[in-house]
Amino acid sequence: MPDIPSIKRPPKRLIEGILAIGAATASATLAHMGIRCAFMTGPTAWTRGRAMAGPALTLQFMPRREDLYDEGQYKDVEKQLHRHVLYQVKAGDVVVIDARGDMRSGIFGEMMMTYFKGRGGAGVVVDGCLRDFPHVGQLGVPLWIRGVTPNFHTQTDLMPFAVNVPIACGGVTVIPGDIIVADDDGSVVVPVKLAEQVIKDASVHHEWEEFSRERLEQGGELRRYYPLSDAARPEYEAWLKKKGKKA
Amino acid sequence: MPDIPSIKRPPKRLIEGILAIGAATASATLAHMGIRCAFMTGPTAWTRGRAMAGPALTLQFMPRREDLYDEGQYKDVEKQLHRHVLYQVKAGDVVVIDARGDMRSGIFGEMMMTYFKGRGGAGVVVDGCLRDFPHVGQLGVPLWIRGVTPNFHTQTDLMPFAVNVPIACGGVTVIPGDIIVADDDGSVVVPVKLAEQVIKDASVHHEWEEFSRERLEQGGELRRYYPLSDAARPEYEAWLKKKGKKA
Amino acid sequence: MPDIPSIKRPPKRLIEGILAIGAATASATLAHMGIRCAFMTGPTAWTRGRAMAGPALTLQFMPRREDLYDEGQYKDVEKQLHRHVLYQVKAGDVVVIDARGDMRSGIFGEMMMTYFKGRGGAGVVVDGCLRDFPHVGQLGVPLWIRGVTPNFHTQTDLMPFAVNVPIACGGVTVIPGDIIVADDDGSVVVPVKLAEQVIKDASVHHEWEEFSRERLEQGGELRRYYPLSDAARPEYEAWLKKKGKKA
Amino acid sequence: MPDIPSIKRPPKRLIEGILAIGAATASATLAHMGIRCAFMTGPTAWTRGRAMAGPALTLQFMPRREDLYDEGQYKDVEKQLHRHVLYQVKAGDVVVIDARGDMRSGIFGEMMMTYFKGRGGAGVVVDGCLRDFPHVGQLGVPLWIRGVTPNFHTQTDLMPFAVNVPIACGGVTVIPGDIIVADDDGSVVVPVKLAEQVIKDASVHHEWEEFSRERLEQGGELRRYYPLSDAARPEYEAWLKKKGKKA
Amino acid sequence: MPDIPSIKRPPKRLIEGILAIGAATASATLAHMGIRCAFMTGPTAWTRGRAMAGPALTLQFMPRREDLYDEGQYKDVEKQLHRHVLYQVKAGDVVVIDARGDMRSGIFGEMMMTYFKGRGGAGVVVDGCLRDFPHVGQLGVPLWIRGVTPNFHTQTDLMPFAVNVPIACGGVTVIPGDIIVADDDGSVVVPVKLAEQVIKDASVHHEWEEFSRERLEQGGELRRYYPLSDAARPEYEAWLKKKGKKA
Amino acid sequence: MPDIPSIKRPPKRLIEGILAIGAATASATLAHMGIRCAFMTGPTAWTRGRAMAGPALTLQFMPRREDLYDEGQYKDVEKQLHRHVLYQVKAGDVVVIDARGDMRSGIFGEMMMTYFKGRGGAGVVVDGCLRDFPHVGQLGVPLWIRGVTPNFHTQTDLMPFAVNVPIACGGVTVIPGDIIVADDDGSVVVPVKLAEQVIKDASVHHEWEEFSRERLEQGGELRRYYPLSDAARPEYEAWLKKKGKKA
């Protein structure tokens, strides 16, 4: 039986802070901190409207080599590494899979995803495909994937190779335990040691945004309202007063 | 007028058997029988939630060569090969089209697809695009396509070349009369002579799957319930009894 | 402050005429007039069911060169060219953006798109991505884009370079002021000087189409009803009479 | 044993005429005759400096389907279709192969290419790869290919499917018997029925080209010498006289 | 006749300084100055062993739109923009062409390239193809291109659109007058205003490199000789003395 | 300083046996033993005519993440992992590098490659690029690479991540210590434990090949001479006798 390293999960407070920020703000804030692209390009939101954040468990696929992996002799289910990443799942965890962008290998099907749901997993990011989507799509598990296929994961060119090791997913290096945040914009990796700072920097929001959004929607001038110009500040303050708010 | 070969349609029983199995099980079963990839990669489900199975009528496009095909002189509609594949459609048939993955050529528009619907066609698979989707999308015909375009099919680089000949669609060779099965996972080719065996092999299902799915959804252990372990068998039998079922 | 050329907007009558035709008929009619492919390949309808037409304002991105563009020094918002294309927006305008097909740069986010909506913009076509889709998607602005990303537009490889200059978008040259028409089939460029002729040519429709569609849907023969055969003409005339219509 | 259609070879005079013109002039002349692109994009000259022309024998590969093709049972060499295209080779013939752009399947190796050479074949065009290039490259047979690989042709995803049928090679439809002309610019398909006209149109060359080339190489003005301007005609005539030539 | 802006040529000293450095050092030095990627990816050295540097003249192609460009009416050669970029060529100039990576359009043929050679042009970089390579390849003009084709430049999807405007070539923005340096590594854009600094920074070379290279070639330890370790310094000084050199 | 695992080198006899076979025979023999594709697709022979075999040292690159890798702080050369793979090189070793197919990152330049040569390395395979090719190309080290670039390896999107770990290179999994064999056909991975069998299976050659090759080159019939037919056996035996050889 393979010996799988476990991950260190970040404090819930960090997870919640990052989730509240969302993928767009997380990515932009990280960029200003020097992380040029924390966005995993390729996997897209297949469960529109869902958002999630959580620590990454990782599963790595490699090009199949028949002397290293023989699906036909794959009798002992405990040898199947894609099961082992699921064994690690605790409530709130995110499974991130480097399936090498393969569009002909379906990593998990209905039973595996049902187990993931039962364990309280937060969501799944695959640089590749799931299978059995007529059933998997009904489970309500948030998914960021490249697509779906009826093929199973070792049917063509891949083999599962390692669990909870650093992987490349969608062009980003993911370290087990990194915080993943995802919504309709896609999925973003937040390094644990930067999470606190990301939350802090992102909280410096503009208190006038609600006012500006309202004015812009009414056809107000971009130059006047976004960012809030000095000329519009009295108008904003009147608006605040009317709303019974304080600047 | 072109002389189009007709196809031999498999018995309805086979079609229904394959449809009941679905694309994922068909593909996996074929893989265990030695057909490495029967899944047509590229065309995806544009009518989410629909499934179909039926014998393949085929239409082949080739790179346009103006000495062989002149759209301007294309006055005699009977010379248009894309019409001829439709002339062959009987209730339950599937039209499979090699449009060479072209994203700028729309194979059928509203009137052609309305006729297809009127003839009782089961569905359409195109390694390429349809056009007039604002109307075609309303018809309710199940579609597996790469995308849509406003262009008509001979506007850019293609010409229709042959009907009911072997084609390559989505990286799979399709022989006229093969059974196509498709759902949200995508579309799969089942060779007629293997269909009986596919149905038989796929029927060896695990009688405990319903029980295991229920337990997994409740957070049960993957090792215990999938596949069903000896340790969990008494629990399964108690569950069966309670349900008034027999193992 | 950059000096942005304005565009000449075509008469409303032309815009409405082109909108009534739709993308598929516009593209096919232009093809018959010698414009081989007016369809912008790449951006797809992300707001299914929406249609729009309007004159093009254009925004060009170029590969980022740090000596020409330094996001860190990008303090003066008036220097940001993506704002300037929005400053030009009048009711009914379409913004068309060459973002070089980049999947890691989000051109506009919520505030910019809210302003666009407030100005009465007709829609946006991007050969690339938007960001902040959890909010942008709620605005109801018609969108033809390649995808979404949490990254902002200068985070990776692009820089905004010019406004209201000729651009290439989705493989088609777009001149500022060209009429853009888009629906679920995608977006099409109609050169202003050809618009009148496109509308005229497209109006030569077949008065029997409604009849033929009805018959095809009932399973009628394609050869008989589309195009309407001489044999079916009496039947068509009877149908007309019954409907109280005149041929 | 497969029944292979033979081809009708064009008169030697046409082959020689087309060869004398070369690929660039053939392609440009065909374009002016309405054949937009007769150039096979993808295969490039691997035997730099060689040129050839000859009638096309064709070999078509299709995606491998194990129920239709089993390499393991491929004992009877007479069933191997890639042999059969070679059986057809007469002196001066060109073998054109649709290997689907596959970079992991080597169509012919040393022994097959030695036979091709022995039969006097003019050259080979493959939309894909050859194998055993350390030996094949020594044979001196003119080659237009995408690359080389150590794999044999049925090792991964392809199977030979038909000989002397119409194929698509490098984005161009090739009909058996078409004239192929190739040099360092690449390979071009000349439809037999247009060959006479191509030769005729291409012969209308500019008698002043040698003069102009000489002047341009000396730094002469493009406007003056190419095309030859009226102002430069006296100079040209003096040059002619000096050379002892006549205009 | 089009009105073509001319370029400002940098002092010869800068050109020579950059040429002496070579593409690899220029690119690395620019990277350390903040220009992340000045290397034009795509065009490769087709004239192995040649190097060049010079100011950029630019030619921009755009997707062909038949209402804006009609090759058939292209009678007046003075309207042909690809001629106009050549009219601008002075000794030592580099022509850089955005041909949109198109592999089916040959920008220049023999006569144009002969003129370029006659004018003393330093070399040509094309994000696309040349044609007539059997002759063009004989001229000895240094070339960085994606490939060759027999097609002429407006035969398929492109039209020449502007001369001496900013272009994107190989993923890099090129401003007319920028210094281009190219060798077997590829071609690099050096912004004129940074050229002086690039030359200066690159001149801080390691005086021990010749010694270290010699030792490494003899099997010396990387740790000891590159960079030169303190331990190896006496050995280096002895070597210097023996060579009659001074540190 | 990183702790780098060393590799177990196979006996020289195996290396020599595999080298004698060459890439084409190694790949084909492995295929018959069940290893579907041992060929690394992508890297091609840049030193035409060279062949090599040797045990693999591996270097893995990953997508650059600035919190994990900061080129600016990369002062301590001992931290540079691409140096460490070279520290491991013994005579006859092959360095295999997963550079993620990146065309803008040059893994090694002149000094590193000089050291590699000095250590007696057999050759280098890179799924990516080298830099400084004007010098590196002069060293005479056998190279299988995707291309060259002036950029250094961490200039754009990559960072070195691990040495002597399993990597994917050109679509094949490479385990440190695997035997790499490469020639003009490309590079192939031979698993050590299969090497003996590969050599044995490949030695079952056809003693009549030399005779057949001679006959085929003279225009002999493929059916008669390859494979050698019973009808041609007497001729072969006469040829043998004449050559003074024994069957």
Side-chain angles (χ1 to χ4, degrees):
Chain A
M1 210 175 78
D3 185 30
I4 307 297
S6 55
I7 63 167
K8 188 166 181 305
R9 290 173 178 79
K12 208 164 180 188
R13 182 184 45 80
L14 285 186
I15 301 288
E16 286 168 354
I18 293 294
L19 178 59
I21 285 168
T25 302
S27 166
T29 307
L30 283 165
H32 288 123
M33 292 164 69
I35 309 293
R36 206 165 173 264
C37 183
F39 162 58
M40 289 180 261
T41 313
T44 60
W46 271 59
T47 45
R48 223 30 105 64
R50 306 294 300 274
M52 63 131 183
L57 299 166
T58 67
L59 173 59
Q60 182 192 35
F61 279 80
M62 289 281 270
R64 188 173 176 183
R65 223 174 82 177
E66 290 80 357
D67 62 312
L68 298 175
Y69 182 87
D70 179 353
E71 200 265 333
Q73 300 174 333
Y74 197 42
K75 295 274 167 60
D76 180 358
V77 296
E78 286 307 301
K79 286 188 184 159
Q80 301 176 10
L81 283 170
H82 71 304
R83 294 177 67 96
H84 282 271
V85 73
L86 293 188
Y87 291 161
Q88 303 282 326
V89 174
K90 298 198 173 167
D93 284 354
V94 175
V95 169
V96 184
I97 302 170
D98 175 10
R100 309 187 73 75
D102 193 292
M103 299 308 284
R104 305 192 307 168
S105 298
I107 304 310
F108 293 128
E110 187 195 7
M111 296 302 268
M112 294 295 168
M113 289 302 296
T114 300
Y115 174 68
F116 179 81
K117 182 184 175 183
R119 302 307 281 182
V124 171
V125 181
V126 190
D127 194 356
C129 294
L130 296 180
R131 75 188 292 261
D132 207 2
F133 196 71
H135 300 111
V136 165
Q138 305 304 315
L139 292 174
V141 175
L143 305 172
W144 287 260
I145 58 181
R146 274 191 191 263
V148 294
T149 173
N151 291 353
F152 57 85
H153 69 237
T154 59
Q155 192 168 333
T156 54
D157 298 323
L158 300 183
M159 61 180 176
F161 196 76
V163 172
N164 285 348
V165 297
I167 61 171
C169 183
V172 180
T173 297
V174 180
I175 307 294
D178 278 341
I179 301 174
I180 307 299
V181 56
D183 56 30
D184 283 358
D185 267 353
S187 47
V188 167
V189 179
V190 180
V192 169
K193 67 181 179 191
L194 302 182
E196 194 85 61
Q197 190 66 36
V198 167
I199 294 168
K200 198 177 144 200
D201 287 8
S203 71
V204 187
H205 71 291
H206 304 296
E207 75 292 348
W208 40 258
E209 266 200 20
E210 187 189 342
F211 165 72
S212 290
R213 188 182 296 110
E214 197 178 301
R215 286 298 182 265
L216 293 177
E217 192 143 21
Q218 292 159 354
E221 276 299 334
L222 193 61
R223 274 190 186 98
R224 183 176 170 88
Y225 297 111
Y226 187 74
L228 188 70
S229 65
D230 290 345
R233 189 156 285 272
E235 185 188 344
Y236 164 54
E237 278 157 14
W239 176 88
L240 270 183
K241 199 173 294 175
K242 198 173 150 195
K243 293 254 170 183
K245 295 185 184 180
K246 267 177 92 168
Chain B
M1 209 173 78
D3 185 28
I4 306 296
S6 55
I7 63 166
K8 190 166 181 304
R9 289 173 179 80
K12 209 165 179 188
R13 183 184 45 82
L14 286 185
I15 302 288
E16 286 167 354
I18 293 295
L19 178 59
I21 285 169
T25 302
S27 168
T29 306
L30 282 166
H32 288 123
M33 292 164 68
I35 309 293
R36 206 165 173 264
C37 182
F39 161 59
M40 289 180 263
T41 314
T44 60
W46 272 58
T47 45
R48 220 33 101 64
R50 305 293 301 273
M52 62 129 183
L57 298 165
T58 67
L59 173 59
Q60 181 193 36
F61 278 79
M62 290 280 272
R64 189 172 175 184
R65 221 174 84 177
E66 291 79 357
D67 62 312
L68 298 175
Y69 182 86
D70 179 352
E71 198 265 333
Q73 299 174 336
Y74 197 43
K75 294 276 167 57
D76 181 358
V77 296
E78 286 308 301
K79 285 188 186 159
Q80 300 176 10
L81 282 170
H82 71 302
R83 294 177 66 95
H84 283 272
V85 73
L86 293 189
Y87 290 161
Q88 303 283 326
V89 174
K90 297 198 174 167
D93 284 354
V94 175
V95 169
V96 185
I97 301 171
D98 174 10
R100 309 187 71 75
D102 195 289
M103 299 309 284
R104 303 192 308 166
S105 297
I107 303 310
F108 293 129
E110 186 195 7
M111 296 302 268
M112 295 295 166
M113 289 303 295
T114 300
Y115 174 68
F116 179 81
K117 181 185 176 181
R119 302 308 282 182
V124 171
V125 181
V126 190
D127 193 356
C129 294
L130 296 180
R131 75 187 291 261
D132 208 3
F133 196 70
H135 301 110
V136 165
Q138 304 304 316
L139 293 174
V141 174
L143 305 173
W144 286 261
I145 58 181
R146 273 192 190 264
V148 295
T149 173
N151 291 354
F152 56 84
H153 69 235
T154 59
Q155 192 169 332
T156 53
D157 297 324
L158 299 184
M159 61 181 177
F161 197 76
V163 172
N164 285 348
V165 298
I167 61 172
C169 182
V172 180
T173 297
V174 180
I175 307 294
D178 278 341
I179 300 173
I180 307 300
V181 57
D183 55 30
D184 283 359
D185 267 352
S187 47
V188 168
V189 179
V190 180
V192 170
K193 68 181 179 190
L194 302 182
E196 195 85 61
Q197 189 67 37
V198 168
I199 294 169
K200 199 178 142 198
D201 287 7
S203 71
V204 186
H205 71 292
H206 304 296
E207 76 292 349
W208 41 258
E209 266 199 21
E210 187 190 340
F211 165 72
S212 291
R213 188 182 296 110
E214 198 179 299
R215 286 297 181 266
L216 293 177
E217 192 143 22
Q218 292 158 353
E221 276 299 336
L222 193 60
R223 274 190 187 99
R224 181 174 171 87
Y225 295 111
Y226 186 74
L228 186 71
S229 64
D230 290 346
R233 190 156 283 271
E235 184 188 346
Y236 165 53
E237 278 157 13
W239 176 88
L240 270 183
K241 201 174 290 177
K242 196 173 152 196
K243 292 254 172 184
K245 293 186 186 182
K246 268 176 91 165
Chain C
M1 210 175 79
D3 185 29
I4 306 297
S6 55
I7 63 165
K8 190 166 178 306
R9 288 172 180 79
K12 208 166 178 185
R13 182 184 46 82
L14 285 186
I15 301 288
E16 286 168 353
I18 293 295
L19 178 59
I21 285 169
T25 301
S27 167
T29 305
L30 282 165
H32 288 123
M33 293 164 68
I35 309 293
R36 205 163 174 265
C37 183
F39 162 59
M40 290 180 261
T41 313
T44 60
W46 271 58
T47 46
R48 223 28 105 65
R50 305 292 300 272
M52 64 130 180
L57 299 165
T58 66
L59 174 59
Q60 181 192 35
F61 279 80
M62 290 280 272
R64 188 172 176 184
R65 223 174 81 177
E66 290 80 357
D67 61 313
L68 299 175
Y69 182 86
D70 179 353
E71 200 265 331
Q73 299 174 337
Y74 197 43
K75 295 276 166 58
D76 180 0
V77 296
E78 286 307 299
K79 285 189 184 157
Q80 300 176 9
L81 283 170
H82 72 303
R83 294 178 66 97
H84 283 271
V85 74
L86 293 188
Y87 290 161
Q88 303 283 325
V89 174
K90 297 198 174 167
D93 285 353
V94 174
V95 169
V96 184
I97 302 169
D98 175 11
R100 310 186 72 74
D102 194 291
M103 299 309 285
R104 303 193 307 167
S105 298
I107 305 309
F108 293 127
E110 186 195 7
M111 295 303 266
M112 294 297 166
M113 289 301 297
T114 300
Y115 174 67
F116 179 81
K117 182 186 177 182
R119 302 309 281 182
V124 172
V125 181
V126 190
D127 193 357
C129 293
L130 295 180
R131 75 187 291 260
D132 207 3
F133 196 70
H135 300 111
V136 165
Q138 304 303 316
L139 293 174
V141 175
L143 305 173
W144 286 261
I145 59 182
R146 272 191 191 264
V148 295
T149 173
N151 291 354
F152 56 86
H153 69 236
T154 59
Q155 193 167 332
T156 53
D157 297 323
L158 299 184
M159 62 181 175
F161 196 75
V163 172
N164 285 347
V165 298
I167 61 171
C169 182
V172 180
T173 297
V174 180
I175 307 294
D178 278 341
I179 300 173
I180 307 299
V181 56
D183 56 29
D184 283 358
D185 267 352
S187 48
V188 167
V189 179
V190 181
V192 168
K193 68 180 179 191
L194 301 182
E196 195 84 62
Q197 190 66 36
V198 167
I199 294 168
K200 199 178 141 198
D201 288 7
S203 71
V204 187
H205 70 291
H206 304 298
E207 74 292 348
W208 40 259
E209 266 199 20
E210 187 189 341
F211 165 72
S212 290
R213 188 183 295 109
E214 198 179 299
R215 286 298 182 265
L216 293 177
E217 192 143 20
Q218 292 158 354
E221 276 299 336
L222 193 59
R223 275 190 185 98
R224 182 176 171 87
Y225 296 110
Y226 187 73
L228 187 70
S229 65
D230 291 346
R233 191 156 283 273
E235 185 188 346
Y236 165 53
E237 277 157 15
W239 176 88
L240 269 183
K241 200 173 291 176
K242 199 173 151 194
K243 294 253 170 185
K245 293 185 186 182
K246 267 176 93 164
Chain D
M1 211 174 76
D3 186 29
I4 306 296
S6 54
I7 63 165
K8 191 167 179 305
R9 289 174 179 79
K12 208 165 180 187
R13 182 182 47 81
L14 285 185
I15 302 288
E16 287 167 354
I18 293 295
L19 178 59
I21 285 169
T25 302
S27 167
T29 307
L30 282 166
H32 289 123
M33 293 164 68
I35 310 294
R36 206 164 175 266
C37 183
F39 161 58
M40 289 180 263
T41 313
T44 61
W46 271 59
T47 46
R48 226 22 109 66
R50 305 293 301 274
M52 62 130 184
L57 299 165
T58 67
L59 173 59
Q60 181 192 36
F61 279 80
M62 290 280 272
R64 187 171 178 186
R65 221 174 83 178
E66 291 80 357
D67 60 313
L68 298 177
Y69 181 86
D70 179 351
E71 201 265 331
Q73 300 174 335
Y74 197 41
K75 295 274 166 62
D76 181 358
V77 295
E78 287 307 301
K79 284 189 186 158
Q80 300 176 11
L81 283 170
H82 72 304
R83 293 177 67 96
H84 282 271
V85 75
L86 293 189
Y87 291 160
Q88 303 283 324
V89 174
K90 298 199 174 164
D93 285 353
V94 175
V95 168
V96 185
I97 302 170
D98 174 11
R100 310 188 72 77
D102 194 292
M103 299 309 284
R104 304 193 307 168
S105 298
I107 304 309
F108 293 129
E110 186 195 8
M111 296 301 268
M112 294 296 165
M113 288 302 296
T114 300
Y115 174 68
F116 179 80
K117 182 186 176 183
R119 303 307 281 180
V124 171
V125 182
V126 190
D127 194 356
C129 294
L130 295 181
R131 74 187 291 261
D132 206 2
F133 196 70
H135 300 111
V136 165
Q138 304 304 316
L139 292 175
V141 175
L143 305 173
W144 287 260
I145 58 180
R146 273 191 190 264
V148 294
T149 174
N151 291 353
F152 55 86
H153 69 236
T154 58
Q155 193 169 332
T156 53
D157 296 323
L158 299 185
M159 60 180 176
F161 197 75
V163 172
N164 285 347
V165 297
I167 60 171
C169 182
V172 179
T173 298
V174 180
I175 307 294
D178 278 340
I179 300 173
I180 306 300
V181 56
D183 56 30
D184 282 0
D185 267 353
S187 48
V188 167
V189 179
V190 181
V192 170
K193 68 181 179 189
L194 301 182
E196 195 85 62
Q197 190 66 37
V198 167
I199 295 168
K200 200 178 140 198
D201 288 8
S203 71
V204 187
H205 71 291
H206 305 297
E207 74 292 349
W208 41 258
E209 266 199 20
E210 188 190 340
F211 164 74
S212 290
R213 189 183 296 110
E214 199 180 298
R215 286 297 182 268
L216 293 177
E217 191 143 23
Q218 293 159 352
E221 274 299 334
L222 193 60
R223 274 190 186 99
R224 183 176 169 86
Y225 296 109
Y226 188 74
L228 187 71
S229 65
D230 290 345
R233 189 156 283 271
E235 184 188 346
Y236 164 54
E237 278 157 13
W239 176 89
L240 268 183
K241 201 172 293 178
K242 198 174 150 193
K243 294 254 170 184
K245 293 186 186 181
K246 269 178 91 166
Chain E
M1 212 175 77
D3 186 28
I4 307 296
S6 55
I7 64 165
K8 191 169 179 305
R9 289 173 179 79
K12 208 166 179 187
R13 182 183 45 82
L14 285 185
I15 302 288
E16 287 166 355
I18 293 294
L19 178 59
I21 285 169
T25 302
S27 167
T29 308
L30 283 166
H32 289 124
M33 293 164 68
I35 310 293
R36 206 165 175 267
C37 182
F39 161 58
M40 290 180 262
T41 313
T44 61
W46 271 59
T47 46
R48 225 25 106 65
R50 306 292 302 274
M52 62 131 185
L57 299 166
T58 66
L59 173 59
Q60 180 192 37
F61 279 80
M62 290 280 271
R64 187 171 179 186
R65 222 175 83 177
E66 292 79 357
D67 61 313
L68 299 176
Y69 182 87
D70 179 352
E71 199 266 333
Q73 300 174 335
Y74 197 42
K75 294 276 166 60
D76 181 359
V77 297
E78 287 307 301
K79 284 188 185 158
Q80 301 176 10
L81 283 170
H82 71 305
R83 293 178 67 96
H84 283 271
V85 75
L86 293 188
Y87 291 160
Q88 304 282 326
V89 174
K90 298 197 173 166
D93 284 355
V94 175
V95 169
V96 185
I97 301 170
D98 174 11
R100 309 189 72 74
D102 193 292
M103 299 310 284
R104 304 192 307 167
S105 298
I107 304 310
F108 293 129
E110 185 195 8
M111 295 303 268
M112 295 295 166
M113 288 303 296
T114 300
Y115 174 68
F116 179 81
K117 181 186 177 184
R119 303 308 280 181
V124 172
V125 182
V126 190
D127 194 355
C129 293
L130 296 180
R131 74 186 291 261
D132 207 2
F133 196 71
H135 300 111
V136 165
Q138 304 303 316
L139 293 173
V141 175
L143 305 173
W144 287 260
I145 59 181
R146 274 191 190 264
V148 294
T149 172
N151 292 352
F152 56 86
H153 69 237
T154 58
Q155 191 168 331
T156 53
D157 297 324
L158 299 183
M159 60 181 178
F161 196 76
V163 172
N164 285 347
V165 297
I167 61 170
C169 183
V172 180
T173 297
V174 180
I175 307 294
D178 278 340
I179 301 173
I180 307 300
V181 56
D183 55 29
D184 283 0
D185 267 353
S187 47
V188 166
V189 179
V190 180
V192 169
K193 66 179 180 191
L194 302 181
E196 195 84 63
Q197 190 65 38
V198 167
I199 294 168
K200 199 179 142 199
D201 288 7
S203 70
V204 187
H205 71 292
H206 305 297
E207 75 292 349
W208 41 259
E209 264 199 21
E210 188 191 339
F211 164 73
S212 291
R213 189 183 296 109
E214 199 179 297
R215 286 297 181 266
L216 293 177
E217 192 143 22
Q218 293 159 350
E221 275 298 335
L222 193 60
R223 275 192 186 96
R224 181 173 170 89
Y225 296 109
Y226 187 74
L228 187 71
S229 65
D230 290 345
R233 191 158 281 273
E235 184 188 347
Y236 164 56
E237 278 156 14
W239 176 89
L240 270 182
K241 201 172 291 176
K242 198 174 150 194
K243 294 252 170 185
K245 295 186 184 181
K246 268 178 90 166
Chain F
M1 212 175 77
D3 185 29
I4 307 296
S6 54
I7 63 165
K8 189 167 179 305
R9 289 173 178 78
K12 210 168 178 184
R13 180 182 47 81
L14 285 186
I15 302 287
E16 287 167 354
I18 293 294
L19 178 59
I21 285 170
T25 301
S27 167
T29 306
L30 283 166
H32 288 124
M33 293 165 67
I35 309 293
R36 207 165 172 265
C37 183
F39 162 59
M40 289 181 261
T41 313
T44 61
W46 271 59
T47 46
R48 228 20 109 66
R50 304 294 301 274
M52 62 132 182
L57 299 165
T58 67
L59 173 59
Q60 181 192 37
F61 279 80
M62 290 281 271
R64 189 172 177 184
R65 223 175 82 177
E66 291 80 357
D67 61 313
L68 299 176
Y69 182 86
D70 178 353
E71 199 266 331
Q73 299 175 337
Y74 198 42
K75 294 276 167 60
D76 180 358
V77 297
E78 286 307 302
K79 284 188 184 159
Q80 301 176 11
L81 283 170
H82 71 305
R83 294 178 66 96
H84 283 272
V85 75
L86 293 188
Y87 291 160
Q88 303 283 326
V89 174
K90 299 200 171 163
D93 285 354
V94 175
V95 168
V96 185
I97 302 170
D98 175 11
R100 309 189 71 76
D102 193 293
M103 299 309 285
R104 304 192 308 167
S105 297
I107 303 310
F108 293 127
E110 185 195 7
M111 295 303 268
M112 294 296 167
M113 288 303 296
T114 300
Y115 174 68
F116 179 81
K117 181 185 175 182
R119 302 307 280 181
V124 171
V125 182
V126 189
D127 195 356
C129 293
L130 295 181
R131 76 187 290 262
D132 206 2
F133 196 72
H135 301 111
V136 165
Q138 304 303 316
L139 293 174
V141 174
L143 305 172
W144 286 261
I145 59 181
R146 274 190 189 265
V148 294
T149 173
N151 291 353
F152 56 87
H153 69 238
T154 59
Q155 193 168 331
T156 53
D157 297 323
L158 299 184
M159 60 180 179
F161 197 75
V163 172
N164 284 347
V165 298
I167 61 171
C169 182
V172 179
T173 297
V174 181
I175 306 294
D178 278 340
I179 301 174
I180 307 299
V181 56
D183 56 31
D184 283 359
D185 267 353
S187 47
V188 167
V189 179
V190 181
V192 170
K193 67 179 179 192
L194 301 182
E196 194 85 62
Q197 189 66 36
V198 167
I199 294 169
K200 199 179 142 199
D201 288 6
S203 70
V204 187
H205 72 291
H206 304 298
E207 75 291 349
W208 40 260
E209 266 198 21
E210 188 189 341
F211 164 73
S212 291
R213 189 183 295 109
E214 199 179 298
R215 287 297 181 268
L216 293 177
E217 192 143 22
Q218 292 159 352
E221 276 298 336
L222 194 59
R223 275 191 186 98
R224 182 174 170 88
Y225 296 109
Y226 188 74
L228 187 71
S229 65
D230 291 345
R233 190 157 282 273
E235 185 188 345
Y236 164 54
E237 278 157 12
W239 176 89
L240 270 183
K241 200 172 294 177
K242 199 175 149 193
K243 295 252 170 186
K245 294 186 186 181
K246 267 176 93 167

